[in-house]
Amino acid sequence: MKKSLLCAARPLVAGLALALLLAGGVGSVYGGGKSQAGGTPRADNTLRVSLNRSVKTLDPLYLDSTAADNVIGQLGDTLVRNNKGRSDFFPDLATDWTISEDGKTYVFNLRKGVLYHPGKFQNGRELAPADVVYCLNRAKGYFSNYLYMLGEVEVTGPYQVTCHLNVPDANFLYNLTSTTNTIFPPEEQEGWGQDFATHFIGTGPYILESHIPDQKSTMVRNEKYWGTKANIERVEYYIISDTAQRVNALRTGEIDVDLNVVGETIQTVKDNSSLTLYQNPAFRVNLIGFNTRAKGPLSDPRVRKALIQATDYDTLAKGVFRYNEGTVQKLPLPNNSWGYDKALEALVPAYNPTAAKALLAEAGYPNGFKVTINYVGTGNAERAVTILQALWKDALNVELVPVTTEQAVYMEILQTGSFELQAGSQGCTSDPATSLGYFFSTDKIGGNYNPWGYSNPAIDAKIALAVAIPDRTKRIQLYHEILEQVVPENVGIFYANEKLTWGVTNRVKNVEQWAAILDVTKGIQGEPGYINLSIAN
């Protein structure tokens, strides 16, 4: 009897579901249909999505990955949404908003008649402006500190909330789109306490049926959604960390969407007539970060420069992204940002192993040294570390010791600064304020944007000025001045801009690839930003 590929991955489901998979293979769980490998596609109205990382919590305050963002993105809503280029915004829970001339006061008018999902501590009541105040106040100052600019939030009408910023900030609307700022009923969060992480209640197009951390999340259509009702009845998310197992499950029809197609599996998707490869540039910088606060070799800027000089960016980027799922770059912002200037790549130390070896000797390490690098064990990070191990060992006799951890532990390591090097990536936008501005802001130390611990009051002042000016030409000039000052500090190797690469079965229709989150249903038909996937059996 054929064993399910979902079951062959790391533990995905528990209890009855697991027993069914083991007992009857694919058909037992999927209503009697056979996999595509057996010649008969599934015929149901359930969308099954694979995620490459564990989803520990659905509490917006503690979300730590795009995997978690994808799940909660179907369950809840934020005040506003951003467009494909992340340069404009659509209404979500707010129908419209006004901004004061000084850029410090935002007035949001809320939708009327928006209902929460029924829960243990409320029975599907209407969204109230006091809920928005509660949620935004709770999010202030935590984790990535997206609402660092937010001061007082107040109810100013029956369906109105006013946000007062401490300083003008062009990032505010974009930061409100973060799933960290998903709106929920306060009584549910307070009533459940820590268990709110597995009993999230929102206003989104789907209602959480069950959430088993590290394994599976299941949701059903919200028949009282404020927008257009979802075409798809059920959505299930499975954690499949292994790249090959994800694409095999996609190929056989056991899952419908793989949001993390990488490496040679890209060609597998391209070659399969039953699948479609979706690929577009993302705003995600792949990087190797140096902990400048760590004791030892990396505290010396000469050592950091030598490691950069011993790194061939082309070799690194092309080795990690062997199937064109990323493009090489050198500056600490995505190369599709309107602030990127290729001419400024000259600020980055050029590849020169001979000069790197001489500089390392000057710093007191003529025979090299040993250093650890922390990362989550994904394919991209694994390949990056393997390439650097070879480059640095050959040129400098530097031994790079890999240390892999799960996502939650990795984030804690970054927040506490208890690492030497880190390999990962960071999402941002077309606006340099959300990459360059965050990477070098003192306010971001202790989060995942500035793990290297960079702090310079003069740079902080320029970052604040750049984000407060509405004129883009003047902002670009300021960001270039910032680059000229911070790049020579050599806090990291910002080597590539990743692409969004999804594999989708052809039974799924109306797919929109806007961001790392696959929106199944959003908005109202006929209005800007409307998305509603469907399944054609």
Side-chain angles (χ1 to χ4, degrees):
M1 183 174 293
K2 178 178 175 289
K3 185 178 180 182
S4 168
L5 288 168
L6 291 179
C7 198
R10 48 177 305 203
L12 300 176
V13 291
L16 178 60
L18 180 57
L20 288 171
L21 279 169
L22 291 172
V26 175
S28 295
V29 173
Y30 296 157
K34 295 182 180 179
S35 71
Q36 289 183 3
T40 305
R42 282 191 288 111
D44 58 19
N45 198 14
T46 297
L47 182 73
R48 294 177 176 87
V49 183
S50 70
L51 303 173
N52 68 335
R53 291 182 179 177
S54 298
V55 178
K56 296 289 186 183
T57 176
L58 294 179
D59 186 331
L61 203 61
Y62 303 101
L63 301 177
D64 62 1
S65 68
T66 54
D69 292 338
N70 266 283
V71 177
I72 200 171
Q74 321 311 318
L75 302 172
D77 302 296
T78 51
L79 287 178
V80 296
R81 297 171 54 219
N82 55 284
N83 66 347
K84 186 172 184 176
R86 302 193 184 185
S87 58
D88 201 359
F89 302 92
F90 299 132
D92 205 9
L93 292 180
T95 57
D96 57 89
W97 52 91
T98 57
I99 307 172
S100 63
E101 288 188 10
D102 64 2
K104 295 175 65 175
T105 303
Y106 288 67
V107 180
F108 296 93
N109 293 312
L110 305 181
R111 292 187 187 277
K112 298 178 180 179
V114 174
L115 301 178
Y116 286 115
H117 309 155
K120 182 176 181 180
F121 300 95
Q122 53 78 49
N123 194 29
R125 69 169 174 84
E126 186 178 8
L127 168 76
D131 305 336
V132 176
V133 174
Y134 178 91
C135 293
L136 297 188
N137 278 330
R138 183 174 183 253
K140 282 194 298 186
Y142 194 78
F143 197 40
S144 297
N145 197 15
Y146 288 117
L147 299 183
Y148 58 87
M149 75 294 283
L150 182 59
E152 182 185 6
V153 188
E154 60 177 335
V155 175
T156 50
Y159 292 93
Q160 189 179 86
V161 171
T162 298
C163 295
H164 302 278
L165 307 191
N166 296 318
V167 291
D169 196 308
N171 284 327
F172 180 57
L173 281 179
Y174 171 74
N175 288 7
L176 283 178
T177 69
S178 167
T179 52
T180 301
N181 299 315
T182 301
I183 307 302
F184 54 82
E187 59 267 40
E188 291 288 341
Q189 185 270 322
E190 292 175 346
W192 282 108
Q194 290 185 346
D195 288 339
F196 186 59
T198 56
H199 296 84
F200 179 77
I201 294 292
T203 58
Y206 289 93
I207 298 172
L208 184 65
E209 183 176 85
S210 65
H211 173 67
I212 306 172
D214 301 331
Q215 297 179 15
K216 180 183 177 184
S217 301
T218 303
M219 54 192 71
V220 296
R221 183 166 59 195
N222 177 12
E223 302 295 340
K224 295 183 179 180
Y225 176 52
W226 57 264
T228 301
K229 188 171 73 172
N231 292 322
I232 296 174
E233 295 174 2
R234 294 173 61 86
V235 184
E236 297 173 353
Y237 292 90
Y238 293 89
I239 311 302
I240 310 178
S241 60
D242 184 83
T243 299
Q245 289 170 348
R246 283 199 308 275
V247 78
N248 282 338
L250 181 69
R251 180 181 56 81
T252 60
E254 294 186 77
I255 62 168
D256 300 299
V257 181
D258 178 2
L259 296 176
N260 303 95
V261 182
V262 297
E264 62 187 18
T265 60
I266 290 177
Q267 194 61 46
T268 301
V269 174
K270 283 184 175 180
D271 292 342
N272 192 316
S273 61
S274 298
L275 307 176
T276 299
L277 185 75
Y278 290 84
Q279 194 170 51
N280 278 295
F283 294 100
R284 177 165 288 276
V285 179
N286 289 73
L287 57 91
I288 307 296
F290 304 150
N291 187 351
T292 63
R293 298 172 293 171
K295 295 179 181 180
L298 294 179
S299 63
D300 189 329
R302 293 172 297 178
V303 172
R304 302 197 299 269
K305 182 178 179 180
L307 292 175
I308 293 175
Q309 285 182 311
T311 303
D312 184 336
Y313 279 64
D314 283 330
T315 296
L316 182 57
K318 291 176 182 178
V320 171
F321 298 113
R322 298 167 296 174
Y323 293 85
N324 195 36
E325 68 269 45
T327 54
V328 67
Q329 63 168 65
K330 292 189 176 181
L331 299 175
L333 70 166
N335 56 15
N336 53 347
S337 163
W338 47 259
Y340 200 96
D341 186 343
K342 194 168 179 61
L344 293 178
E345 291 184 351
L347 296 168
V348 178
Y351 178 54
N352 190 332
T354 302
K357 189 171 182 61
L359 186 58
L360 202 63
E362 178 187 313
Y365 300 96
N367 300 316
F369 55 88
K370 181 185 294 187
V371 65
T372 60
I373 184 165
N374 290 85
Y375 59 98
V376 178
T378 61
N380 290 346
E382 293 279 7
R383 286 190 291 275
V385 171
T386 300
I387 293 167
L388 288 178
Q389 282 178 313
L391 289 173
W392 292 355
K393 183 66 175 178
D394 182 58
L396 306 174
N397 196 35
V398 168
E399 183 180 350
L400 188 59
V401 180
V403 180
T404 59
T405 60
E406 61 178 15
Q407 180 72 14
V409 175
Y410 176 71
M411 296 306 295
E412 183 178 353
I413 288 170
L414 297 190
Q415 292 170 45
T416 58
S418 53
F419 69 98
E420 292 182 295
L421 289 105
Q422 50 118 184
S425 63
Q426 183 58 61
C428 35
T429 73
S430 62
D431 193 321
T434 61
S435 50
L436 178 60
Y438 286 177
F439 290 156
F440 296 95
S441 172
T442 301
D443 286 345
K444 296 300 181 185
I445 293 176
N448 57 322
Y449 276 103
N450 186 358
W452 28 85
Y454 184 91
S455 181
N456 183 330
I459 294 298
D460 288 338
K462 280 197 173 182
I463 288 172
L465 180 59
V467 82
I469 296 175
D471 187 297
R472 179 170 291 187
T473 301
K474 292 180 179 178
R475 293 186 70 200
I476 289 174
Q477 180 180 345
L478 279 168
Y479 285 123
H480 288 180
E481 291 176 9
I482 291 171
L483 282 167
E484 290 169 355
Q485 291 178 262
V486 300
V487 171
E489 299 281 353
N490 299 320
V491 303
I493 299 171
F494 303 88
Y495 66 90
N497 182 32
E498 200 167 331
K499 294 180 181 179
L500 292 174
T501 306
W502 300 347
V504 184
T505 58
N506 292 342
R507 71 194 293 262
V508 182
K509 307 298 181 183
N510 310 322
V511 175
E512 294 277 356
Q513 193 177 36
W514 286 16
I517 295 178
L518 170 69
D519 282 322
V520 180
T521 304
K522 279 291 178 184
I524 299 173
Q525 188 171 8
E527 293 189 1
Y530 172 69
I531 294 173
N532 203 344
L533 274 60
S534 61
I535 291 176
N537 289 308

mmCIF file of all heavy atoms in Angstrom, residues 202-220:
data_model
loop_
_atom_site.group_PDB
_atom_site.id
_atom_site.type_symbol
_atom_site.label_atom_id
_atom_site.label_comp_id
_atom_site.label_asym_id
_atom_site.label_seq_id
_atom_site.Cartn_x
_atom_site.Cartn_y
_atom_site.Cartn_z
ATOM 1 N N GLY A 202 -9.861 36.200 14.674
ATOM 2 C CA GLY A 202 -9.696 37.417 13.892
ATOM 3 C C GLY A 202 -10.942 37.779 13.136
ATOM 4 O O GLY A 202 -12.059 37.362 13.491
ATOM 5 N N THR A 203 -10.762 38.548 12.046
ATOM 6 C CA THR A 203 -11.884 38.995 11.214
ATOM 7 C C THR A 203 -11.739 38.507 9.778
ATOM 8 O O THR A 203 -12.489 38.933 8.903
ATOM 9 C CB THR A 203 -11.946 40.535 11.191
ATOM 10 O OG1 THR A 203 -10.690 41.036 10.686
ATOM 11 C CG2 THR A 203 -12.188 41.114 12.574
ATOM 12 N N GLY A 204 -10.765 37.627 9.522
ATOM 13 C CA GLY A 204 -10.411 37.260 8.165
ATOM 14 C C GLY A 204 -11.375 36.335 7.464
ATOM 15 O O GLY A 204 -12.383 35.892 8.036
ATOM 16 N N PRO A 205 -11.062 35.979 6.219
ATOM 17 C CA PRO A 205 -11.956 35.154 5.401
ATOM 18 C C PRO A 205 -12.011 33.699 5.833
ATOM 19 O O PRO A 205 -12.862 32.952 5.356
ATOM 20 C CB PRO A 205 -11.368 35.278 3.996
ATOM 21 C CG PRO A 205 -9.928 35.607 4.225
ATOM 22 C CD PRO A 205 -9.891 36.454 5.457
ATOM 23 N N TYR A 206 -11.104 33.289 6.735
ATOM 24 C CA TYR A 206 -11.112 31.908 7.229
ATOM 25 C C TYR A 206 -11.056 31.882 8.753
ATOM 26 O O TYR A 206 -10.476 32.773 9.387
ATOM 27 C CB TYR A 206 -9.939 31.109 6.647
ATOM 28 C CG TYR A 206 -10.127 30.832 5.179
ATOM 29 C CD1 TYR A 206 -9.604 31.700 4.226
ATOM 30 C CD2 TYR A 206 -10.864 29.734 4.752
ATOM 31 C CE1 TYR A 206 -9.810 31.468 2.874
ATOM 32 C CE2 TYR A 206 -11.070 29.493 3.399
ATOM 33 C CZ TYR A 206 -10.546 30.364 2.467
ATOM 34 O OH TYR A 206 -10.771 30.137 1.133
ATOM 35 N N ILE A 207 -11.689 30.849 9.326
ATOM 36 C CA ILE A 207 -11.755 30.642 10.776
ATOM 37 C C ILE A 207 -10.859 29.462 11.138
ATOM 38 O O ILE A 207 -10.900 28.417 10.483
ATOM 39 C CB ILE A 207 -13.203 30.352 11.216
ATOM 40 C CG1 ILE A 207 -14.113 31.552 10.888
ATOM 41 C CG2 ILE A 207 -13.284 30.017 12.701
ATOM 42 C CD1 ILE A 207 -15.588 31.277 11.118
ATOM 43 N N LEU A 208 -10.069 29.627 12.181
ATOM 44 C CA LEU A 208 -9.159 28.572 12.603
ATOM 45 C C LEU A 208 -9.943 27.392 13.158
ATOM 46 O O LEU A 208 -10.726 27.527 14.085
ATOM 47 C CB LEU A 208 -8.201 29.106 13.672
ATOM 48 C CG LEU A 208 -7.113 28.143 14.148
ATOM 49 C CD1 LEU A 208 -6.149 27.826 13.015
ATOM 50 C CD2 LEU A 208 -6.362 28.745 15.343
ATOM 51 N N GLU A 209 -9.731 26.237 12.588
ATOM 52 C CA GLU A 209 -10.355 25.005 13.086
ATOM 53 C C GLU A 209 -9.414 24.296 14.064
ATOM 54 O O GLU A 209 -9.842 23.822 15.117
ATOM 55 C CB GLU A 209 -10.697 24.085 11.920
ATOM 56 C CG GLU A 209 -11.416 22.816 12.328
ATOM 57 C CD GLU A 209 -11.812 21.983 11.132
ATOM 58 O OE1 GLU A 209 -10.993 21.184 10.645
ATOM 59 O OE2 GLU A 209 -12.970 22.135 10.654
ATOM 60 N N SER A 210 -8.139 24.236 13.708
ATOM 61 C CA SER A 210 -7.158 23.636 14.607
ATOM 62 C C SER A 210 -5.769 24.119 14.235
ATOM 63 O O SER A 210 -5.491 24.415 13.063
ATOM 64 C CB SER A 210 -7.207 22.110 14.549
ATOM 65 O OG SER A 210 -6.811 21.649 13.267
ATOM 66 N N HIS A 211 -4.913 24.196 15.245
ATOM 67 C CA HIS A 211 -3.513 24.564 15.013
ATOM 68 C C HIS A 211 -2.636 23.685 15.882
ATOM 69 O O HIS A 211 -2.713 23.747 17.107
ATOM 70 C CB HIS A 211 -3.265 26.036 15.339
ATOM 71 C CG HIS A 211 -1.814 26.424 15.266
ATOM 72 N ND1 HIS A 211 -1.117 26.438 14.090
ATOM 73 C CD2 HIS A 211 -0.932 26.781 16.242
ATOM 74 C CE1 HIS A 211 0.131 26.800 14.329
ATOM 75 N NE2 HIS A 211 0.277 27.007 15.627
ATOM 76 N N ILE A 212 -1.854 22.838 15.239
ATOM 77 C CA ILE A 212 -0.926 21.968 15.948
ATOM 78 C C ILE A 212 0.475 22.473 15.635
ATOM 79 O O ILE A 212 0.969 22.278 14.517
ATOM 80 C CB ILE A 212 -1.074 20.500 15.501
ATOM 81 C CG1 ILE A 212 -2.519 20.041 15.635
ATOM 82 C CG2 ILE A 212 -0.145 19.597 16.312
ATOM 83 C CD1 ILE A 212 -2.790 18.675 15.030
ATOM 84 N N PRO A 213 1.112 23.157 16.579
ATOM 85 C CA PRO A 213 2.433 23.731 16.311
ATOM 86 C C PRO A 213 3.388 22.690 15.730
ATOM 87 O O PRO A 213 3.407 21.535 16.151
ATOM 88 C CB PRO A 213 2.892 24.205 17.689
ATOM 89 C CG PRO A 213 1.618 24.477 18.431
ATOM 90 C CD PRO A 213 0.658 23.417 17.957
ATOM 91 N N ASP A 214 4.155 23.104 14.751
ATOM 92 C CA ASP A 214 5.170 22.278 14.089
ATOM 93 C C ASP A 214 4.580 21.265 13.114
ATOM 94 O O ASP A 214 5.338 20.564 12.444
ATOM 95 C CB ASP A 214 6.032 21.510 15.091
ATOM 96 C CG ASP A 214 6.764 22.420 16.049
ATOM 97 O OD1 ASP A 214 7.064 23.551 15.642
ATOM 98 O OD2 ASP A 214 7.022 22.003 17.189
ATOM 99 N N GLN A 215 3.256 21.169 13.025
ATOM 100 C CA GLN A 215 2.676 20.104 12.219
ATOM 101 C C GLN A 215 1.672 20.601 11.176
ATOM 102 O O GLN A 215 1.932 20.528 9.985
ATOM 103 C CB GLN A 215 2.019 19.068 13.133
ATOM 104 C CG GLN A 215 3.004 18.379 14.056
ATOM 105 C CD GLN A 215 2.337 17.372 14.969
ATOM 106 O OE1 GLN A 215 1.197 16.972 14.767
ATOM 107 N NE2 GLN A 215 3.044 16.952 16.010
ATOM 108 N N LYS A 216 0.541 21.111 11.629
ATOM 109 C CA LYS A 216 -0.532 21.385 10.683
ATOM 110 C C LYS A 216 -1.478 22.450 11.242
ATOM 111 O O LYS A 216 -1.749 22.496 12.436
ATOM 112 C CB LYS A 216 -1.327 20.101 10.417
ATOM 113 C CG LYS A 216 -2.484 20.243 9.443
ATOM 114 C CD LYS A 216 -3.252 18.925 9.324
ATOM 115 C CE LYS A 216 -4.455 19.063 8.406
ATOM 116 N NZ LYS A 216 -5.248 17.827 8.356
ATOM 117 N N SER A 217 -1.965 23.301 10.341
ATOM 118 C CA SER A 217 -3.008 24.273 10.681
ATOM 119 C C SER A 217 -4.153 24.107 9.696
ATOM 120 O O SER A 217 -3.929 24.009 8.486
ATOM 121 C CB SER A 217 -2.471 25.704 10.605
ATOM 122 O OG SER A 217 -1.392 25.889 11.490
ATOM 123 N N THR A 218 -5.360 24.081 10.215
ATOM 124 C CA THR A 218 -6.550 23.880 9.381
ATOM 125 C C THR A 218 -7.529 25.005 9.620
ATOM 126 O O THR A 218 -7.753 25.415 10.766
ATOM 127 C CB THR A 218 -7.230 22.539 9.712
ATOM 128 O OG1 THR A 218 -6.289 21.483 9.538
ATOM 129 C CG2 THR A 218 -8.431 22.302 8.813
ATOM 130 N N MET A 219 -8.133 25.506 8.552
ATOM 131 C CA MET A 219 -9.113 26.585 8.685
ATOM 132 C C MET A 219 -10.268 26.365 7.713
ATOM 133 O O MET A 219 -10.113 25.695 6.684
ATOM 134 C CB MET A 219 -8.456 27.944 8.450
ATOM 135 C CG MET A 219 -7.712 28.070 7.144
ATOM 136 S SD MET A 219 -6.668 29.574 7.075
ATOM 137 C CE MET A 219 -5.364 29.148 8.219
ATOM 138 N N VAL A 220 -11.413 26.920 8.076
ATOM 139 C CA VAL A 220 -12.624 26.774 7.267
ATOM 140 C C VAL A 220 -13.136 28.155 6.871
ATOM 141 O O VAL A 220 -12.856 29.159 7.530
ATOM 142 C CB VAL A 220 -13.720 26.006 8.036
ATOM 143 C CG1 VAL A 220 -13.264 24.587 8.320
ATOM 144 C CG2 VAL A 220 -14.086 26.721 9.345
#
